Amino acid sequence: MAIFILNLTYVTTDIAEVDALLVDHLAWLEAGRGKGHFLAWGRKVPREGGAIIAKGESREAVEALAATDPFIAGGVAKVDVIEWVPTFLGEGLEALAQ
């Protein structure tokens, strides 16, 4: 399994469009956590998107998963999928080890 950072950036300036998809986005995140895909997530500050730490078999698999995010499918955000190889993990971050 590889580790990925999903860097979400809103493509709309109307936060109401984002909020209209928020419940579905959160349900998607929880479903992904339940399946072992997502290890962490959160909003960017200022609120211009978010980031998700994910595990996946390949970049293609993670890109396909990211495309199903209601924010992406709904056209309110874009995602950059970044493969990440941790060379150091502090105490408590063992779940990020491959």
Side-chain angles (χ1 to χ4, degrees):
M1 287 277 192
I3 302 291
F4 297 87
I5 300 168
L6 308 182
N7 181 31
L8 280 72
T9 303
Y10 299 145
V11 296
T12 179
T13 56
D14 185 354
I15 204 69
E17 291 179 22
V18 174
D19 286 342
L21 296 171
L22 187 58
V23 169
D24 292 339
H25 172 73
L26 293 173
W28 176 81
L29 288 169
E30 287 293 343
R33 182 177 68 88
K35 293 176 183 175
H37 298 302
F38 303 143
L39 304 174
W41 61 76
R43 288 183 180 169
K44 294 180 189 175
V45 177
R47 189 176 175 195
E48 60 188 20
I52 303 165
I53 306 297
K55 277 189 167 183
E57 292 294 328
S58 68
R59 173 183 295 278
E60 293 77 17
V62 173
E63 287 173 343
L65 177 62
T68 67
D69 179 349
F71 281 176
I72 305 305
V76 300
K78 67 175 185 156
V79 63
D80 295 310
V81 177
I82 304 160
E83 189 165 355
W84 180 62
V85 178
T87 54
F88 168 78
L89 293 170
E91 187 175 331
L93 299 175
E94 295 82 7
L96 297 177
Q98 294 180 324

